[in-house]
Amino acid sequence: MNTAATPARAPARPGGAFAALVAVLADIARTPSGAAGLILLSLHLLVAISAPLWVPYDYREVNSLLILSAPGAEHWFGTDHLGRDTLTRTLLGGREALLVTGVATPVAVMWGGFTGIFFGLTGGRLDDLFMRFVDALLSLPWILKMLVLIVTFGTGLEVFIPTLAFFYGIPIIRVARAATHDVVARDFVQAARARGHGRMTIIGRELLPNVRDALLVEGAMRWSWMLLAFSSLSFLGFGVSPPTPDWGLMIANARGYMSFAPWGVLAPMIALSSLIIGINLTADALAKTLGVDRAQKAPV
Amino acid sequence: MLEPATRPRLEAGGHLLNIRGLSIGFTGRSGETLPILRHIDLAVGRGESIGIVGESGSGKSTLALAAMGYLKHGLNVIGGDVLFPDRDLFALSPGQLQDIRGRRLALIPQNSGQSLTPTLRVGAQLTETLKLHSNTAPERQAARVTELLAKVRLPDPHLIAGRYPHQLSGGQQQRVAIAMALAGEPEALLLDEPTTGLDVTTQAHILELLRDLAAQYGTSMIYVSHDLGAIARVCERVVVMYAGEIVLEGATRQVLSSPDHPYARGLLASLPRLTGSHLPAALDGIPPMPGGVGGGCAFAPRCALADSQCREQRPGLETTERGQRARCLRSARASEIPIAPAPGEAGRRPAIDDDRAALTLDAVSIRYARPTPLARLLRRAPAAATVSDISIAVIKGQTLGLVGESGSGKSTILKAIAGLLPVENGAISLPDNQTLAAEVERRNPSQLRAIQLIFQNPDESLNPRQTIAEIIAQPLRLYFDISGAELRRRSVEILDTVRLGAHYLERLPSQLSGGEKQRVAIARAFAAQPDIVLCDEVTSALDVSVQAAVLGLLDTLRRERGTTYLFVSHDLAVVRTLSHRVAVLYQGRLCEIGATARVYSLPSHPYTETLLSAVLEPDPDRAPRLAAHDAVESSPPAAGCPFQRRCARRLGAICDEQAPPWRDAGGGHRIRCHLPLDTLQSGPAPAV
Amino acid sequence: MLRMIVRRLLLGAVSIGMVSLIIFGGVELLPGDACTAYLEREAQGKLLENCRAQLGLDRPAWERYWGWMSNAARGDFGTTITGRERIGKLVGDRLLNTLLLTGCAMLAGIPLALLLGVVCALWRDRAVDLLFSSLAIFAMTIPEFISATLLILVFSVWLGWIPGIILTPADAPLIEFFPEILLPIAALAMVMTAHILRTVRSSVIETLASDYAQMAILKGVPYWRMVFRHILPNALLPTINVVALTIAWLLGGVVVIETVFNFPGLGRMMIDSISDRDLPVTQTLALIIALVYVGVNLLADVLTMLANPRLRTHKTRSA
């Protein structure tokens, strides 16, 4: 009887997509952690887009006189083992990762989402069989799956984007399918079926609007995991090729000189961590705002 | 002052529980305090049983929990105290409260299925209470558990003690909760809607049990319910709550027969009765939200007697001429508001009756569980069908009521008619021998349009992401292919027929009250201009006052448009108010069918009789009769009469082996029973 | 009950079959084969023929799949691409090392995570909760190679307590990995602990809000008794599966961590085999990891069935 203790959230008003986005962002910014996430995220995006215009040095500029020099007025974060400016390379080091994951994430959400909704609505033997296949794919560690493809096809963007989008779309299939199952059981879908609407109408009008939020939150989470995967590959030497600056690669290179030049690892580490934490905080706040109950999952 | 007549036991025992000026509220989004309970004064004497009645949002459950010194998360006490018997419960330490709760004050919760810990056996949960709150010696505890379970009339108490809660039926879980409350031999029992959600027969059994136990132990009872029938059965005194306030207090008999508050009168008038066939009178408007009460009387916006003074001045609880205490400035004139609808409306019955069937079901069977490949391989006998051999004709322009308890298959039949569940055998057909395809996908547009479905819970049946305009537009676009200004014109027109204005179009379902949402669902169904509307428990999720309005609306729409209804409900009184004919279902089998008045009187199928006699009416003089035990059956028997296992008038082996014959009682009234008509005519079976 | 377990076991077997098909079929689908991958530009003429003959690549695919599976079932995974070493022997030592690493991480991480998760839930929104919950978010979001590098930087470089790089050979007795192994254990345990902690915390909070928790309070059950008897058994049940998933994750995370610490385990072997384009070894490792994954999840499901009365006992009557 008494549900008044938690006043109902003001329902999202119908309106333009832009207005809805602004409303959601404002809601995210209401909590301290959500605001922190948004700030971190926008800062990173801003730097990634504009850094080439204002970084102090050329990221390729090798200077044998300045190898591993300590932070100072000229080089705020010191230089690396080739005498390149660490600050410049750190500021530019996220561009590749953000570009790859920024394209791969929406692709993964779309293909995983549609496939999941389709099988969730269809059900039956086909669905069972396909889910076995999905489970089997998930039982292999991501790093193995990715590495095999990368070693076979090479390490360009044209390999990274489809590979990440493919493998990270698979867990999204499961999320979309589960969300679809929940919605299909509800009476408004049954009502639409009984009226005689076609399957595409039911997907578009009844299912998608109700599955959308879960997919958005899942997409945000997957984004951070993709970044993590991309940087790990880069760290292991399977990512971008030098001299392109990339955080993972920078950390891997600077590790060898960690004992006397720790700034070399610290700068890219702080950059990458703050981006991933920013995405996670935003995703968490997004889940709360949209009322999506995000079950804790291991990043398989 | 208190009237001695209404509180006979006060002098004898003194107050056991005394709530004084209690206000409870929560903090709203913008930091303001929103009250849920306002200045509640309530004293309960020893051995007294008091009912707290109100609709959802009235604060009655908060009051019940507050009487145990408990507040749900987010609530806080704004003022007042709860004395038990002379110490403020809200001032006690957790340790002191633990000693009182369970030992001196015990709760019987609304939903026992969720209130029993799922990982502990029933016996262990009872033993825990004994250990904490009684002086039972450890070696005696097991025996005491069995004793308690037997006391709440559970069969095989030994077995039950070893079970987990999920292995019990809803009625059994409720009995376990009662046994647990009794274990500490408390001085007062708080009952929070203890029978809500149970089948009528189970509910009647539980209430009789509670009455007996209270009489036997002299325990005080505070019984919270929305159901005046249950309160009438158990309580001597009633408190009516509205918008967090007590608006009326008095002896049960008086409050139920001639209440001195307009709200209580409206509530009574909105109750559908088993004895009368007229539509209940609706109480217009909705209760205010917490914090939404202005300076005047909270009920003034919905009150027929309200004048400018009512809207400005907050009434106090005053003793009336008849000795009730009413929070109303116009209580002297309250009797101007009828508590029963004008009998004139009863004359509506003979509707358009050209005796043509709008919908025919011919020997329909439906099976949920398909045999697995393994079972088929092993040639296992398939389980009995969920719904079997249903033949019904629904006359055009009439309402056919379909009643039965949970598991009777009534909703299953509706789903099959709508094409959402495949029929295993038999045929469903529209006029002119149009047999409907089993799957909705294979039906043609005119067949689809002809049949529309309204669901029980509008929260589930309206897409939360669509505006009302989008919801209503769906059938209009699909069946009539209209758009633009014409679509909007038609939508407004349809909203108007369910008495909602055009300004609702841009709203989302979550911005509407329960009754408004159900109106939208009705509007959506009627937008298709259907011939047949299938109503699946359409008022079960609504408060009584709202229910009456929805019932009235449905009946008006039928009369104006000549629509045919198949109206499914577990509530026999509701079915009676709306139906021309009634079919009674048990375990997916038809027991009885006929004109409403005939089905509700003798001769009756033993099951119909059981159902009818278990119904609780808001009348302290009318006791339910328990004609059969309330065991819940999970599946129909393989052969014979579906009611064989519970029937009080069982003949013997013939009931188990042979399907009973249809007995024709005349006028289209047919009963399926082995007993001959004159025996069925001779009246009720002996009570068990 | 027994039927459910048997059913689950059968499903597990189906999963394994499916995974093996994916591992085998995946390689078949990729352009080239094990020999072209290994020989790269030299993949022509005699060299290629010899290699193919040695691996039996001239036989039809289904025959090779069947041979691979039936040999694997007997513990024979064939030879490395060079044909010089038995894969089974190579894997044996490495598997043991990785098991030591992950086993220690679990032993340390799981109890800690359970304890902290419960503590955070019971003191929700207090200082303890804020501290550990934030630490958990931090630990589970930053990449493993960063936390591992940080650990080395702090404990090896700055404090000089433990060496940051492991030089012990793969076939050394397990005890010789101490104390260097403590850092990789800590790195692995951190992420795992964080995940489980968050799950336990939300599960306990959810259970505290249940009707039966409220009922326990209202029947006068003392607080700690309520926590231990009514809350924890119900709250911890669903975490079994999350623990299993986390363990499965360990197998992936271990790849990065072993590389960072130069630890001679399965993970590093995998990276090496992929760098060396030694597909037979990669396939074997994939199969072993998938087996562990399926096995752990199966165990978790069976444990849940045994521990949860709703699954253990039949519903005798429907409510």
Side-chain angles (χ1 to χ4, degrees), chain B residues 259-336:
Chain B
D260 281 336
H261 192 282
Y263 171 65
R265 295 188 77 88
L267 202 59
L268 277 175
S270 68
L271 279 180
R273 306 293 175 102
L274 202 54
T275 43
S277 60
H278 40 66
L279 276 169
L283 192 56
D284 288 331
I286 52 166
M289 298 291 287
V293 182
C297 167
F299 185 64
R302 301 173 72 186
C303 182
L305 301 179
D307 50 32
S308 59
Q309 195 190 359
C310 295
R311 280 182 269 273
E312 282 153 22
Q313 187 188 332
R314 176 83 169 274
L317 259 188
E318 305 286 347
T319 306
T320 66
E321 280 171 34
R322 275 183 284 227
Q324 301 167 28
R325 281 161 46 84
R327 191 181 292 279
C328 180
L329 299 172
R330 303 284 170 263
S331 60
R333 285 173 53 206
S335 53
E336 290 173 19

Side-chain angles (χ1 to χ4, degrees), chain A residues 1-2 4-5 7 9 11-14 186-188 190-191 193-197 205-206 209-210 212-213, chain B residues 26 36 60-62 73 75 420 440 448 455 459-461 463-466 474 477-479 508 510-511 524:
Chain A
M1 295 289 105
N2 161 42
R9 137 180 327 280
R13 273 176 202 289
R186 295 182 64 180
D187 285 343
F188 61 82
Q190 297 301 315
R193 273 190 63 203
R195 275 200 303 277
H197 287 291
R205 287 242 180 81
E206 313 289 339
N210 287 287
R212 191 187 60 205
D213 289 355
Chain B
F26 63 96
I36 287 181
K60 57 189 190 303
S61 283
T62 306
H73 186 74
L75 296 182
L420 297 174
V440 70
L448 290 168
F455 292 85
D459 286 328
E460 283 290 310
S461 67
N463 189 335
R465 300 282 162 157
Q466 291 175 349
Q474 300 228 20
R477 275 208 211 96
L478 180 69
Y479 299 127
L508 288 169
S510 54
Q511 294 165 310
R524 179 174 65 182

Side-chain angles (χ1 to χ4, degrees), chain A residues 258, chain C residues 147-165 179-180 182-184 186-187 190 261:
Chain A
M258 202 156 59
Chain C
S147 44
T149 307
L150 263 180
L151 283 174
I152 296 177
L153 189 63
V154 172
F155 291 97
S156 313
V157 177
W158 291 345
L159 297 173
W161 289 354
I162 309 172
I165 298 293
E180 298 96 300
L182 289 179
L183 283 186
M190 252 168 64
F261 290 97

Side-chain angles (χ1 to χ4, degrees), chain B residues 193-275:
Chain B
E193 302 257 12
T195 61
T196 306
L198 300 176
D199 278 326
V200 266
T201 48
T202 311
Q203 167 175 320
H205 277 272
I206 299 269
L207 282 180
E208 291 317 292
L209 173 67
L210 287 170
R211 265 171 72 92
D212 293 352
L213 291 171
Q216 198 179 333
Y217 291 98
T219 314
S220 303
M221 289 209 282
I222 298 178
Y223 191 108
V224 173
S225 180
H226 70 283
D227 184 348
L228 283 166
I231 299 246
R233 199 62 203 125
V234 186
C235 305
E236 304 156 11
R237 199 153 61 90
V238 186
V239 164
V240 181
M241 291 192 65
Y242 184 81
E245 284 181 320
I246 292 178
V247 294
L248 184 68
E249 183 181 351
T252 305
R253 192 173 300 273
Q254 275 213 7
V255 168
L256 292 180
S257 57
S258 53
D260 281 336
H261 192 282
Y263 171 65
R265 295 188 77 88
L267 202 59
L268 277 175
S270 68
L271 279 180
R273 306 293 175 102
L274 202 54
T275 43

Side-chain angles (χ1 to χ4, degrees), chain A residues 25 32 41 44 68 96 142 157 176 191 198 206-207 283:
Chain A
L25 289 182
L41 186 55
H44 268 284
L68 297 173
E96 205 83 355
W142 62 268
L157 294 189
E206 313 289 339
L207 290 177

